Amino acid sequence: MRARAAVVVLAMAALVLSACAPASRGAWEPPAWAPEVVHATDPVTEITAAADGPLGAGIVPLRVRNDAVGVQARVALLPAGSTTDPFNTTVEQFVRGAIADRVVASGTAFVPTPSAVGSGLGDRRCAADSTRRPAAELLADPASGPAGGTGTAVVCGIVAAGGTIVGERVRVVSGNPAGVHSDTTTTLYTDVATGEVATADGLWADGAAAALGTHIVEALRRDAGALSQRPVVVGDEAQLAAIQAALATTVPSDEGLVITLAPGFTAPDLAGLGAPPTTEPLDIAVPAEVAAGLVSPLGARVLASAGQPYTGPAAAPAGSRAVDCALVPCVALTYDDGPSAYTAGILDDLAARDAAATFFAMGQNAQGYADTLARMTRDGHEVEGHTWNHPHLPQLTDAQVTAQIVDSTRALEAASGQDITAFRPPYGEFTPRVLALAGMPAILWDIDTLDWQGPADDVLIARAVEQPRAGSIVLLHDIHPGTARTTGAVLDGLLDRGFQLVTVRQLFGGQLPVSGSWRRAP
């Protein structure tokens, strides 16, 4: 953590002067001072982005690690919607831009690829104070930097979450163990009620830099021991440029708005007092009563949001979101033959990890587990058909195949409330005739955990976690106790590798194929 200069506050106050002799006029009042320097009690910190933080379920974290091109990124997105998509697009572009630059630098095409077991990618939210850490530390830290410390790190911090306002700081650092090549930080704000997005300097009205310059120089002049009330001289364009740059760092606090001056700030008034240029970043807290006359309309809403509970939208269930599987490695867990008495526990484990899955259910179970199927829909999971009672379809007549598909579809749709648009043939057995009679695509698998054989828990976990690659469809069954018992460990293992756990529909970009048979996403 870099050393920080004392945080100074520009506060309207009166300095009461004492005198050695009685005042000659009883009604005399001492002249009021301009804003005075006092030492703040607490530094400005980032807001936690944890699920129990101010944003609650209003965050959709995104983490991408790709060792081939040399990039690792964490950013916080908001639930998709017409008023949040502009913000999400802007934030996500930092990740896409970093990837594009690394593709050029490395000469390697970007392909979403899961990491090895034990990579620790399950935590995807903004890491505490990562936007304030020394750049070299970010690059060298496996939790934030690229493999081997060579490439680009993208980190984030939530700096505002109140009312309908969200503020996020995104930092992009590039370099290698020999040195840092670039280090840029952008702070973005959005009003989720209107969709307006602005960088931090857009919170201020035109002319705010010059007006704040007077306050800042007076504060620093007072801190240097000056007692004069002579009007402040802000200085030349360099001083104004430094203040303008500081506006791009604006974050709200209980004191008002805080900006950070880069080292090297000075002014003629300060030089005349023998005060050297600042040597460390200096946080300046602008009280609400001062900032109110200098901010833009969005800045006024940001100022007013401090201390308010966040009232923005909550995220939709994981299976209901748009997921770009060309950016993050995706895997679809699928469960056959249920629902059963074990299914509810599997749904609990999925919910606890904000993960999605697809259930290929049998029609004969629909009535007995209607509540479970309805919960699958509420939780955002995908329900598809697995015939009525699991026969060998190629051995049936046309009428029997049709009955197996149609009867199960009707029962599952009635219980789940979803349209059944795909099926999984029992035992993976089908023929062109069966496909034609089904009238919907057959979704198979490329990873078979063989959980029906009752393997040891560690064996089952290893099969489900170690074998998948991006685009894989994993076969499990929600009718076996071992499968239910190991669900949490399987989910954690896949998340640890950097997988996004999606439904089959999401794996195919939100739209299932209309025909054919599929073992994995193309």
Side-chain angles (χ1 to χ4, degrees), residues 410-429:
R410 288 174 178 170
L412 293 173
E413 287 183 342
S416 70
Q418 291 191 39
D419 291 334
I420 305 302
T421 57
F423 84 112
R424 172 164 286 169
Y427 314 104
E429 297 175 350

Side-chain angles (χ1 to χ4, degrees), residues 129-188:
D129 293 323
S130 58
T131 64
R132 293 269 192 164
R133 292 177 62 190
E137 285 186 13
L138 284 176
L139 288 173
D141 188 347
S144 59
T150 296
T152 299
V154 182
V155 295
C156 59
I158 303 299
V159 297
T164 58
I165 298 296
V166 175
E168 180 174 354
R169 191 157 47 204
V170 181
R171 184 180 179 192
V172 182
V173 180
S174 296
N176 56 41
V180 176
H181 301 155
S182 64
D183 183 358
T184 61
T185 299
T186 305
T187 304
L188 293 169

Side-chain angles (χ1 to χ4, degrees), residues 5 48 53 59 74 94 100 124 202 214 237 250 320 329 332 338 346 350 364 373 378 407 440 446 458 490:
T48 175
I59 280 290
R74 291 196 206 195
F94 288 103
R124 298 178 182 187
T214 300
E237 291 183 1
T250 304
S320 302
I346 292 173
L350 288 165
Q364 69 176 4
L373 287 163
R378 290 195 307 273
D407 291 350
M440 58 180 71
D446 66 324
D458 59 341
V490 168

Side-chain angles (χ1 to χ4, degrees), residues 107-306:
T108 302
F110 176 81
V111 178
T113 306
S115 297
V117 172
S119 293
L121 301 180
D123 183 0
R124 298 178 182 187
R125 293 178 178 259
C126 302
D129 293 323
S130 58
T131 64
R132 293 269 192 164
R133 292 177 62 190
E137 285 186 13
L138 284 176
L139 288 173
D141 188 347
S144 59
T150 296
T152 299
V154 182
V155 295
C156 59
I158 303 299
V159 297
T164 58
I165 298 296
V166 175
E168 180 174 354
R169 191 157 47 204
V170 181
R171 184 180 179 192
V172 182
V173 180
S174 296
N176 56 41
V180 176
H181 301 155
S182 64
D183 183 358
T184 61
T185 299
T186 305
T187 304
L188 293 169
Y189 289 88
T190 187
D191 186 339
V192 298
T194 66
E196 183 177 1
V197 178
T199 52
D201 53 358
L203 303 183
W204 300 92
D206 293 342
L212 281 176
T214 300
H215 289 291
I216 292 169
V217 174
E218 173 59 26
L220 295 176
R221 185 172 72 170
R222 193 82 51 77
D223 199 35
L227 297 176
S228 172
Q229 289 192 338
R230 176 177 51 82
V232 164
V233 178
V234 175
D236 58 20
E237 291 183 1
Q239 280 78 49
L240 289 175
I243 297 168
Q244 186 65 46
L247 299 185
T249 68
T250 304
V251 296
S253 76
D254 292 340
E255 296 168 316
L257 296 176
V258 177
I259 64 175
T260 301
L261 280 171
F265 182 79
T266 188
D269 279 278
L270 302 176
L273 292 170
T278 57
T279 59
E280 298 289 343
L282 186 65
D283 288 337
I284 306 293
V286 185
E289 61 267 27
V290 175
L294 301 174
V295 293
S296 67
L298 178 59
R301 298 198 294 277
V302 171
L303 193 62
S305 72

